[in-house]
């Protein structure tokens, strides 16, 4: 019986701690947990508003990122509204405005709590997709820096980042769309440390299959940037971690972070 109770308690503790990446549950500081949480929420809100051009938010819906990632730019305003630009919008130069809030759910959570055509695109059901694209609009705050905020999707657990943005939103998204249209590359290859790397690109679903010595090592989703692609997470191999893939406008040359490759 004691073992069973202990097992139940351990499971409960694991479930309780899974929600927040950032917030320390135990009261080991002089300030109370509730006060520290309130300060964290206030700090996050301030950081979000301190970027005049907003934040680049690359959204990855679905638990295995099977749809790839898509660029949005979120500008947080003093009246607790957010202006959202999206590459999925037919008019990416025009933002969609809605409300957001910071709340507490066993840790600080950013919630986009009123409907926004851009932000809620992946989580809005339709007759052809009754579960939508398994997107979300609640994000647990994991880490806060002045130029990047790490979050985790409340439903999928996907790790995503808000990156401080300094460019013009419309120009950036139009460059993303132009790059997406220009990519004709089916893959690339390289070698390092005695290993041969082959990468096959699924442009429609924004996925890259990485093969080492002919065997599938990992499939990783990506999002489009004006330079090429940014991976959902690094691909680790003997040539170094690959996090970005830069592609020339005519798709004739490829440069990756972490090693030399060819198209």
């Amino acid at each position: 019986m004691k073992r069973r109770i202990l097992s139940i308690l351990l499971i409960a503790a694991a479930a309780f701690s899974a929600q927040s990446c950032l917030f320390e549950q135990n009261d080991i500081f002089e300030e109370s947990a509730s006060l520290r949480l309130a300060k964290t929420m206030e700090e996050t809100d301030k950081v979000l508003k301190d970027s005049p051009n907003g934040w680049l938010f690359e959204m990855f819906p679905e638990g295995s990122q099977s749809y790839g990632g898509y660029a949005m730019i979120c500008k947080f305003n003093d009246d607790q509204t957010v202006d959202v630009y999206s590459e999925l919008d037919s008019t990416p130069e025009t933002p969609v405005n809605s409300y957001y809030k910071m709340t507490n759910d066993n840790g600080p959570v950013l919630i986009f709590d009123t409907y926004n055509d851009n932000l809620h695109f992946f989580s809005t059901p339709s007759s052809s997709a009754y579960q939508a694209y398994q997107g979300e609009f609640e994000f647990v705050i994991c880490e806060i820096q002045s130029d990047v905020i790490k979050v985790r999707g409340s439903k999928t657990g996907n790790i995503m980042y808000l990156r401080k943005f300094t460019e013009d939103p419309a120009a950036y998204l139009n460059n993303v769309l132009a790059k997406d249209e220009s990519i004709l590359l089916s893959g690339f290859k390289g070698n390092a440390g005695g290993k041969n790397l082959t990468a096959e690109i699924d442009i429609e679903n924004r996925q890259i299959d990485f093969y080492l010595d002919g065997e599938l090592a990992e499939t990783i989703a990506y999002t489009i940037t004006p330079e090429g692609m940014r991976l959902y997470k690094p691909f680790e191999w003997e040539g170094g971690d690959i996090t970005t893939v830069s592609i020339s406008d005519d798709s004739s040359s490829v440069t990756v972070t972490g090693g030399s490759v060819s198209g």
Side-chain angles (χ1 to χ4, degrees), residues 37-58:
L37 176 57
K39 286 186 174 181
T40 299
M41 291 165 59
E42 183 179 350
E43 176 192 357
T44 304
D45 194 46
K46 183 178 184 301
V47 171
L48 289 171
K49 292 173 179 175
D50 277 349
S51 180
N53 289 63
W55 297 80
L56 174 61
F57 195 4
E58 292 169 332

Side-chain angles (χ1 to χ4, degrees), residues 51-120:
S51 180
N53 289 63
W55 297 80
L56 174 61
F57 195 4
E58 292 169 332
M59 303 275 283
F60 287 85
E62 206 273 324
S64 60
Q65 308 92 46
S66 61
Y67 302 111
Y70 289 82
M72 299 188 187
I73 297 165
C74 303
K75 184 179 181 299
F76 296 86
N77 306 309
D78 289 336
D79 61 355
Q80 296 305 114
T81 64
V82 58
D83 297 319
V84 183
Y85 305 79
S86 172
E87 68 166 291
L88 294 166
D89 197 333
S90 58
T91 55
E93 67 279 359
T94 305
V96 177
N97 181 268
S98 60
Y99 285 91
Y100 78 96
K101 67 181 179 182
M102 297 298 305
T103 190
N104 168 21
D105 185 6
N106 295 327
V109 180
L110 170 64
I111 299 181
F112 299 99
D113 58 338
T114 59
Y115 185 75
N116 183 300
D117 282 342
N118 289 337
L119 273 170
H120 295 85

Side-chain angles (χ1 to χ4, degrees), residues 67 115 120-135:
Y67 302 111
Y115 185 75
H120 295 85
F121 174 84
F122 293 111
S123 55
T124 303
S126 65
S127 58
S128 59
Y130 73 95
Q131 289 186 320
Y133 298 98
Q134 299 179 51

